[in-house]
Amino acid sequence: REQRTKSGIICKRCSCNRHYWLENKKSFQCASCGFRTSIKSGTVMENSNLPIRTWLLAMTFITATKKSFSASELQRQLGMKRYEPVFRMYHKLRKVMGQRDDIYRLEDMVEYDEAFVGKATKAKSQNKLKRGRGSQKQSIVAVMAESTVLENPESGKLEKSCRYFKMKKIKNLEAKTAQGLVKEFIDQDSVLQTDKSTTFSDLGDCIEVHVREVSGTDKGHFNLKWVHIAISNLKKQLQTYHMISERMMQNYLDEFSYKLNRKYFGQKLFDRLIIASIYPYWHDCG
């Protein structure tokens, strides 16, 4: 209730943002039209039969570690009998993590690369699918990292510091796919750094400066340092799960990026997830 009052409540009937609390009804009432908003309405918890206490406990466990764990482990921690409600709750929280990060765009110097990560496939068709790069057993993930070049004042050596990441599941490696991601998630006045893949051959109209280097060279390793680190850590993290479907892959990417972007938040990560959970995404979409 305190967080919702602080963040502001938007009336679903008239879009007014002035409300007062009705103690006897345990809900907010619009000062303009009188429409009432329950404590869960308009949040990630809306339409859920699980009590708020269960949601808050789940957020506590999820934010207690930088790493992730499976829905079955969360079920055990919560002491719940059924797996399905926990699974749905966890993915709803992952989704709002992604929605929160989508509010922000990357700027200044941005690294961009693509990776292949394993996904769940039907056992009957596994032997028929292609192996190696581009296999149907893998999802294609676009990875973006906002990095800054810093110079060590003592040695004069250049290093790269990274602030924020974005990871998006994509359907293909076509140039127009990369163009769409750059336009949507990266500020146009930025410096974009990529390898010399044909996917990135035509980004001149999307970005102010585009720097391309062969990924295997020292310059290429330096320019794409943080996306390669993120890709390596992502693959290790996804080993926690036995089966990740194509449909749910983006949710796992959202959780990984959300925690990576807030790796220094410590105990404040719980409060930030509360804020992300009550943000009126429905109103922005409308």
Side-chain angles (χ1 to χ4, degrees):
R1 173 189 161 189
E2 289 176 1
Q3 288 290 353
R4 293 211 66 182
T5 303
K6 187 185 299 184
S7 300
I9 300 155
I10 300 175
C11 178
K12 288 188 174 181
R13 178 183 290 174
C14 68
S15 296
C16 175
N17 57 6
R18 293 181 295 109
H19 288 74
Y20 53 89
W21 177 253
L22 296 177
E23 184 64 36
N24 59 331
K25 299 294 183 180
K26 302 297 180 184
S27 60
F28 299 95
Q29 183 160 312
C30 177
S32 177
C33 69
F35 184 80
R36 292 176 183 173
T37 301
S38 69
I39 199 73
K40 295 198 294 185
S41 178
T43 73
V44 69
M45 298 173 281
E46 186 174 14
N47 300 324
S48 172
N49 293 326
L50 296 175
I52 293 180
R53 174 180 171 80
T54 301
W55 281 90
L56 295 180
L57 280 173
M59 293 181 199
T60 301
F61 291 126
I62 291 170
T63 58
T65 174
K66 293 181 181 179
K67 297 182 179 181
S68 183
F69 47 83
S70 63
S72 58
E73 175 61 19
L74 181 60
Q75 177 191 8
R76 190 183 70 82
Q77 295 285 354
L78 294 173
M80 296 182 63
K81 294 181 179 180
R82 297 183 63 235
Y83 173 80
E84 289 77 10
V86 180
F87 180 81
R88 288 194 297 268
M89 174 175 60
Y90 203 164
H91 277 287
K92 285 182 178 180
L93 290 173
R94 286 175 173 139
K95 186 174 181 179
V96 297
M97 291 179 189
Q99 289 174 322
R100 188 65 180 179
D101 274 353
D102 283 347
I103 296 175
Y104 311 106
R105 304 184 79 192
L106 302 180
E107 55 188 15
D108 296 331
M109 299 184 71
V110 181
E111 305 172 19
Y112 184 113
D113 203 359
E114 291 157 341
F116 295 87
V117 298
K119 66 178 181 180
T121 54
K122 294 181 179 180
K124 294 181 180 179
S125 60
Q126 283 186 356
N127 294 331
K128 301 178 183 178
L129 300 179
K130 178 183 174 182
R131 295 183 179 182
R133 183 179 174 88
S135 169
Q136 297 93 332
K137 299 178 183 180
Q138 298 174 320
S139 290
I140 311 172
V141 178
V143 182
M144 295 160 274
E146 182 184 299
S147 61
T148 305
V149 178
L150 303 175
E151 182 178 355
N152 189 315
E154 297 180 359
S155 64
K157 186 178 179 180
L158 297 179
E159 291 290 343
K160 296 194 80 175
S161 174
C162 192
R163 295 175 62 196
Y164 304 117
F165 294 85
K166 284 187 183 294
M167 295 185 177
K168 297 295 176 182
K169 181 178 70 68
I170 55 178
K171 294 181 178 179
N172 53 56
L173 296 175
E174 295 178 3
K176 63 180 181 180
T177 302
Q179 291 169 7
L181 288 174
V182 170
K183 289 178 180 178
E184 184 174 1
F185 298 112
I186 301 176
D187 187 81
Q188 189 175 5
D189 297 328
S190 303
V191 176
L192 182 65
Q193 299 172 313
T194 69
D195 60 25
K196 288 198 172 182
S197 168
T198 54
T199 303
F200 313 123
S201 61
D202 190 21
L203 296 175
D205 296 334
C206 307
I207 206 76
E208 182 70 21
V209 179
H210 182 200
V211 179
R212 302 176 69 200
E213 294 286 347
V214 178
S215 59
T217 63
D218 291 341
K219 191 67 175 178
H221 285 309
F222 181 80
N223 285 353
L224 300 174
K225 172 184 176 180
W226 283 105
V227 289
H228 289 166
I229 291 175
I231 289 169
S232 177
N233 290 340
L234 172 66
K235 290 181 178 181
K236 291 178 183 177
Q237 183 88 325
L238 294 183
Q239 291 176 0
T240 305
Y241 313 101
H242 299 294
M243 300 285 281
I244 301 179
S245 67
E246 180 82 8
R247 185 171 64 90
M248 294 295 186
M249 178 63 73
Q250 185 59 53
N251 292 349
Y252 292 95
L253 299 176
D254 289 338
E255 181 185 12
F256 180 82
S257 299
Y258 184 87
K259 289 186 175 181
L260 192 59
N261 290 335
R262 295 159 181 81
K263 53 185 174 292
Y264 301 120
F265 277 42
Q267 294 181 346
K268 293 182 180 179
L269 186 59
F270 172 80
D271 296 323
R272 304 311 299 180
L273 184 53
I274 293 291
I275 293 172
S277 299
I278 64 177
Y279 186 87
Y281 303 103
W282 59 270
H283 186 261
D284 290 350
C285 293

